[in-house]
Amino acid sequence: MRIRDATVADRAAILRIARASFDRVYAFFAVRGTRHAWPFLVAEDGTSIEGFLEGILFRGTPPIGYVYFVAVDPRARGLGSGRALVQESLRLFRSRGANRVFAAVTEDNDPSMHLFASLAFERVARRVLWRWYRWRGLSVQMRMLLAPHEVLLVRTFTDLPPASTQEVPRAS
């Protein structure tokens, strides 16, 4: 499997995968949003497109990454395309200076929730955007991007890994 930047030639495959993966409204916005996406990635197996990812990099100090859409062809699910797409987007966001990456997943999408959790994303309240960044433009934009039935997830690159259960607490 190869992850690469999407091109205009990939549009038909992206439309097919979006329609197979999302309801009509989400599919419409997934295809419509491709004009402003970065990173905009596809996973291909050499002969066909297996999935795509659309992201947004919000400018600021520091920049903030947002995984907007991830979709995998139903015939290719469970083979690692979604994971590879998200991992590459994390690498790209970090290369541009982002120290946090957000994603929104519908509450009933268990496979996506498991994927993001396995990549160290954690569920957070929507108000964290304001607390962490106090950047009004981002807060407004994120409210527009999040639907009421979506869960907000975050991956922070600077956070330390969770403490081992074997560690002994330090004395105060």
Side-chain angles (χ1 to χ4, degrees):
M1 172 189 350
R2 179 177 154 224
I3 305 298
R4 63 170 174 78
D5 290 333
T7 66
V8 173
D10 301 324
R11 184 168 170 36
I14 290 166
L15 179 59
R16 176 182 52 78
I17 294 168
R19 287 180 176 162
S21 300
F22 305 123
D23 65 27
R24 280 183 36 203
V25 173
Y26 274 85
F28 170 79
F29 284 108
V31 175
R32 183 173 178 257
T34 59
R35 290 175 284 175
H36 305 291
W38 185 92
F40 184 20
L41 305 170
V42 294
E44 66 178 359
D45 67 356
T47 59
S48 64
I49 304 295
E50 293 184 339
F52 70 92
L53 178 143
E54 292 177 45
I56 299 171
L57 182 68
F58 292 101
R59 309 246 182 267
T61 307
I64 302 164
Y66 182 64
V67 175
Y68 195 46
F69 287 106
V70 180
V72 175
D73 186 308
R75 297 171 295 193
R77 290 184 183 154
L79 301 177
S81 298
R83 173 178 295 282
L85 286 163
V86 175
Q87 286 175 319
E88 179 61 8
S89 75
L90 293 173
R91 187 190 70 73
L92 290 169
F93 285 131
R94 193 168 197 182
S95 75
R96 294 279 178 98
N99 65 4
R100 284 192 170 87
V101 176
F102 289 93
V105 176
T106 55
E107 289 178 308
D108 62 348
N109 188 341
D110 290 336
S112 287
M113 292 291 279
H114 290 297
L115 168 64
F116 283 103
S118 75
L119 293 170
F121 279 78
E122 295 178 353
R123 188 175 183 155
V124 292
R126 295 166 188 238
R127 68 182 176 276
V128 299
L129 293 169
W130 177 254
R131 188 185 77 215
W132 281 341
Y133 295 101
R134 290 183 170 73
W135 185 25
R136 293 179 196 271
L138 174 69
S139 183
V140 169
Q141 181 76 17
M142 292 300 290
R143 276 197 298 265
M144 291 173 18
L145 294 174
L146 292 173
H149 60 283
E150 291 177 327
V151 173
L152 181 64
L153 307 170
V154 68
R155 160 85 186 268
T156 304
F157 295 121
T158 57
D159 288 349
L160 297 173
S164 166
T165 55
Q166 307 271 327
E167 289 182 290
V168 178
R170 292 187 307 214
S172 316

